[in-house]
Amino acid sequence: MAKRPTVYDVAARAGVSIATVSFTFTQPHKVRPSTREAVEEAARALGYLPSASARGLARGKTGAIGLFSFDYYARNSGVTPDADAPFGDEANEDFRMFPLYHDEVQRGVEMECWRRGYVLMVGDTKSTSSEADIAGIAGRVDGLAVFPNTLPDEILLRISKRIPVVELSIPINNNGLHGVSVDNEGGLAALTEHLISVHGLTDIAFVGPLGFPDKEHRFSGYSRAMEAAGLAIRTVDTAPPGQLAAFARDTVAGMLAEGTLPQALACSTDEEALAYMDALAAAGVSVPGQIAVTGFDGLVAGLVNRPALTTVRQPLVELGRTGASILIDQVASPGKEPVKRQLPVKLMIRESCGCRAA
């Protein structure tokens, strides 16, 4: 068997030091592009692959960041779609819904890990059956990023005693963990104020699952704007998991039968807003002619929908990048206090509220 090439062979062929070779594969942003290209070309020519275990032993680190995410189908329906089914087939769900919120945040985490020379390991709670399994995954990374409601707080706090943990999309709190979120309350307040002041609407119902920190803050923003205008707060019941489309149809049918259809639905997510727009269209109710519908997230689906969805756009990719950056900075230089960051949101005024398309 031929001798495996080493870091010394790559350094000699590229005409650089072994430290430069190491930096090329662990912290590429610190190496000049021309030098990095020379090292990578030498590695390709020799068939060299850097050893993750060796790098870890040398630095006392794994060079990897973990992300606990969740699968959309497993979380919402427990059914994996048929990959061969055509678009529009109910088994394939709604193709407008991709990429979803967590897909874009995860992309941001991936981009920052790549930029900083870290490997990203993605796990989900469905594949872990016990705290020991979770701890085993956490033990293979230098830091851990988690989406809301993926792991219990008590487990995250125990993990954080060994490696830094950052929560993604959890509103700023004092739970002792690092966190990055967006201005959920301010965004929904601004959107509700737009419906009131620009369109003169007075009967606006909030749609969204309470019990989730980010949705609670959005509800607070809606409530603040309604109370400031002297208007009554109204909510719509939350759909059971995996039943949003059917629940929206039943809810719309019930409102029409009872004569209680509001002037607007302020939905806590774009996914909810699109489901209700479909249900209203199926019932022959015009959006925005008879009712305004708004969302929150800023998914591509809302932009391509007709009418285009008025929403609050989160900087989803930047949220993921910021979370990964916090982790990597903490790995390099741990701080005594948790790092908490809140990113701004942007009101996207489109057609579904009654405004003209730009």
Side-chain angles (χ1 to χ4, degrees), residues 191 193-202 263 288 292 310 349-356:
L191 185 50
E193 289 164 2
H194 173 82
L195 295 173
I196 296 169
S197 62
V198 174
H199 297 285
L201 304 182
T202 57
Q263 295 174 313
T310 292
I349 303 300
R350 296 178 182 143
E351 300 168 335
S352 67
C353 66
C355 289
R356 292 188 177 183

Short mmCIF file of all heavy atoms in Angstrom, two decimals, residues 191 193-202 263 288 292 310 349-356:
data_model
loop_
_atom_site.label_atom_id
_atom_site.label_comp_id
_atom_site.label_asym_id
_atom_site.label_seq_id
_atom_site.Cartn_x
_atom_site.Cartn_y
_atom_site.Cartn_z
N LEU A 191 -46.68 46.07 11.88
CA LEU A 191 -47.59 45.54 10.87
C LEU A 191 -49.05 45.79 11.25
O LEU A 191 -49.87 46.19 10.42
CB LEU A 191 -47.35 44.04 10.70
CG LEU A 191 -48.14 43.32 9.60
CD1 LEU A 191 -48.01 44.06 8.27
CD2 LEU A 191 -47.67 41.89 9.47
N GLU A 193 -50.14 48.19 13.23
CA GLU A 193 -50.35 49.63 13.11
C GLU A 193 -50.59 50.03 11.66
O GLU A 193 -51.39 50.93 11.36
CB GLU A 193 -49.14 50.38 13.67
CG GLU A 193 -49.03 50.29 15.19
CD GLU A 193 -47.66 50.70 15.70
OE1 GLU A 193 -46.79 51.08 14.86
OE2 GLU A 193 -47.43 50.61 16.93
N HIS A 194 -49.93 49.35 10.72
CA HIS A 194 -50.14 49.62 9.30
C HIS A 194 -51.59 49.29 8.91
O HIS A 194 -52.25 50.08 8.19
CB HIS A 194 -49.17 48.80 8.45
CG HIS A 194 -49.43 48.87 6.98
ND1 HIS A 194 -48.98 49.92 6.19
CD2 HIS A 194 -50.11 48.04 6.14
CE1 HIS A 194 -49.38 49.74 4.95
NE2 HIS A 194 -50.05 48.60 4.88
N LEU A 195 -52.07 48.15 9.36
CA LEU A 195 -53.45 47.76 9.04
C LEU A 195 -54.46 48.76 9.60
O LEU A 195 -55.47 49.07 8.97
CB LEU A 195 -53.74 46.37 9.59
CG LEU A 195 -52.95 45.21 8.98
CD1 LEU A 195 -53.22 43.91 9.75
CD2 LEU A 195 -53.28 45.04 7.50
N ILE A 196 -54.14 49.29 10.79
CA ILE A 196 -55.05 50.23 11.44
C ILE A 196 -54.99 51.62 10.81
O ILE A 196 -56.01 52.20 10.43
CB ILE A 196 -54.74 50.32 12.95
CG1 ILE A 196 -54.98 48.97 13.64
CG2 ILE A 196 -55.57 51.42 13.62
CD1 ILE A 196 -54.45 48.90 15.06
N SER A 197 -53.77 52.15 10.70
CA SER A 197 -53.62 53.55 10.28
C SER A 197 -53.76 53.75 8.78
O SER A 197 -54.34 54.75 8.32
CB SER A 197 -52.27 54.09 10.76
OG SER A 197 -51.20 53.36 10.18
N VAL A 198 -53.23 52.82 7.99
CA VAL A 198 -53.26 53.00 6.53
C VAL A 198 -54.56 52.49 5.93
O VAL A 198 -55.15 53.13 5.05
CB VAL A 198 -52.05 52.28 5.88
CG1 VAL A 198 -52.15 52.35 4.35
CG2 VAL A 198 -50.75 52.91 6.37
N HIS A 199 -55.07 51.36 6.44
CA HIS A 199 -56.26 50.76 5.84
C HIS A 199 -57.53 50.99 6.66
O HIS A 199 -58.62 50.61 6.23
CB HIS A 199 -56.03 49.26 5.63
CG HIS A 199 -54.91 48.96 4.68
ND1 HIS A 199 -55.02 49.12 3.32
CD2 HIS A 199 -53.62 48.57 4.91
CE1 HIS A 199 -53.87 48.80 2.74
NE2 HIS A 199 -53.01 48.47 3.68
N GLY A 200 -57.38 51.58 7.83
CA GLY A 200 -58.56 51.89 8.64
C GLY A 200 -59.27 50.67 9.18
O GLY A 200 -60.48 50.74 9.47
N LEU A 201 -58.58 49.56 9.35
CA LEU A 201 -59.21 48.34 9.84
C LEU A 201 -59.32 48.36 11.36
O LEU A 201 -58.42 48.82 12.06
CB LEU A 201 -58.41 47.11 9.39
CG LEU A 201 -58.18 47.00 7.87
CD1 LEU A 201 -57.42 45.73 7.54
CD2 LEU A 201 -59.50 47.06 7.10
N THR A 202 -60.42 47.84 11.87
CA THR A 202 -60.65 47.84 13.32
C THR A 202 -60.90 46.45 13.88
O THR A 202 -60.78 46.24 15.09
CB THR A 202 -61.86 48.73 13.66
OG1 THR A 202 -63.02 48.25 12.95
CG2 THR A 202 -61.60 50.18 13.27
N GLN A 263 -61.94 41.70 9.59
CA GLN A 263 -61.47 42.49 8.45
C GLN A 263 -60.05 42.10 8.05
O GLN A 263 -59.63 42.34 6.92
CB GLN A 263 -61.49 43.99 8.80
CG GLN A 263 -62.89 44.54 9.04
CD GLN A 263 -62.83 45.98 9.53
OE1 GLN A 263 -62.06 46.30 10.45
NE2 GLN A 263 -63.64 46.84 8.94
N PRO A 288 -57.15 40.91 -1.25
CA PRO A 288 -57.56 41.64 -0.04
C PRO A 288 -58.92 42.32 -0.16
O PRO A 288 -59.26 43.14 0.70
CB PRO A 288 -56.46 42.69 0.06
CG PRO A 288 -56.18 43.04 -1.38
CD PRO A 288 -56.32 41.74 -2.14
N ALA A 292 -58.06 41.29 4.64
CA ALA A 292 -56.61 41.39 4.51
C ALA A 292 -55.96 40.23 5.26
O ALA A 292 -56.47 39.78 6.28
CB ALA A 292 -56.11 42.72 5.06
N THR A 310 -48.12 40.45 2.28
CA THR A 310 -47.57 41.47 3.16
C THR A 310 -47.08 40.78 4.43
O THR A 310 -47.81 39.98 5.03
CB THR A 310 -48.62 42.53 3.52
OG1 THR A 310 -48.94 43.28 2.34
CG2 THR A 310 -48.11 43.49 4.60
N ILE A 349 -44.40 45.58 2.63
CA ILE A 349 -45.76 45.93 2.24
C ILE A 349 -46.00 45.46 0.80
O ILE A 349 -45.36 45.94 -0.13
CB ILE A 349 -45.99 47.44 2.35
CG1 ILE A 349 -45.72 47.90 3.79
CG2 ILE A 349 -47.41 47.79 1.92
CD1 ILE A 349 -46.59 47.23 4.83
N ARG A 350 -46.96 44.52 0.66
CA ARG A 350 -47.26 43.99 -0.67
C ARG A 350 -48.77 44.08 -0.92
O ARG A 350 -49.40 45.03 -0.49
CB ARG A 350 -46.73 42.57 -0.78
CG ARG A 350 -45.18 42.50 -0.65
CD ARG A 350 -44.69 41.07 -0.72
NE ARG A 350 -43.23 41.01 -0.55
CZ ARG A 350 -42.61 40.04 0.11
NH1 ARG A 350 -43.31 39.07 0.69
NH2 ARG A 350 -41.30 40.04 0.22
N GLU A 351 -49.34 43.08 -1.56
CA GLU A 351 -50.73 43.18 -2.01
C GLU A 351 -51.76 42.65 -1.03
O GLU A 351 -52.90 43.13 -1.02
CB GLU A 351 -50.88 42.40 -3.32
CG GLU A 351 -50.01 42.90 -4.46
CD GLU A 351 -49.98 41.95 -5.63
OE1 GLU A 351 -50.23 40.74 -5.40
OE2 GLU A 351 -49.73 42.39 -6.76
N SER A 352 -51.42 41.67 -0.20
CA SER A 352 -52.45 40.97 0.58
C SER A 352 -53.08 41.82 1.67
O SER A 352 -54.10 41.43 2.23
CB SER A 352 -51.86 39.70 1.19
OG SER A 352 -50.89 40.01 2.19
N CYS A 353 -52.49 42.98 1.97
CA CYS A 353 -53.10 43.88 2.95
C CYS A 353 -53.99 44.92 2.29
O CYS A 353 -54.71 45.66 2.97
CB CYS A 353 -52.03 44.57 3.78
SG CYS A 353 -50.99 45.70 2.85
N GLY A 354 -53.91 45.00 0.96
CA GLY A 354 -54.70 45.99 0.24
C GLY A 354 -53.88 47.06 -0.41
O GLY A 354 -54.41 47.92 -1.11
N CYS A 355 -52.54 47.01 -0.23
CA CYS A 355 -51.67 47.96 -0.91
C CYS A 355 -51.38 47.49 -2.32
O CYS A 355 -51.47 46.30 -2.62
CB CYS A 355 -50.35 48.12 -0.12
SG CYS A 355 -50.52 49.00 1.45
N ARG A 356 -51.01 48.42 -3.16
CA ARG A 356 -50.66 48.05 -4.52
C ARG A 356 -49.27 47.44 -4.56
O ARG A 356 -48.40 47.80 -3.78
CB ARG A 356 -50.69 49.27 -5.45
CG ARG A 356 -52.10 49.82 -5.67
CD ARG A 356 -52.07 50.89 -6.73
NE ARG A 356 -53.40 51.39 -7.04
CZ ARG A 356 -53.65 52.31 -7.98
NH1 ARG A 356 -52.65 52.81 -8.68
NH2 ARG A 356 -54.90 52.69 -8.20
#
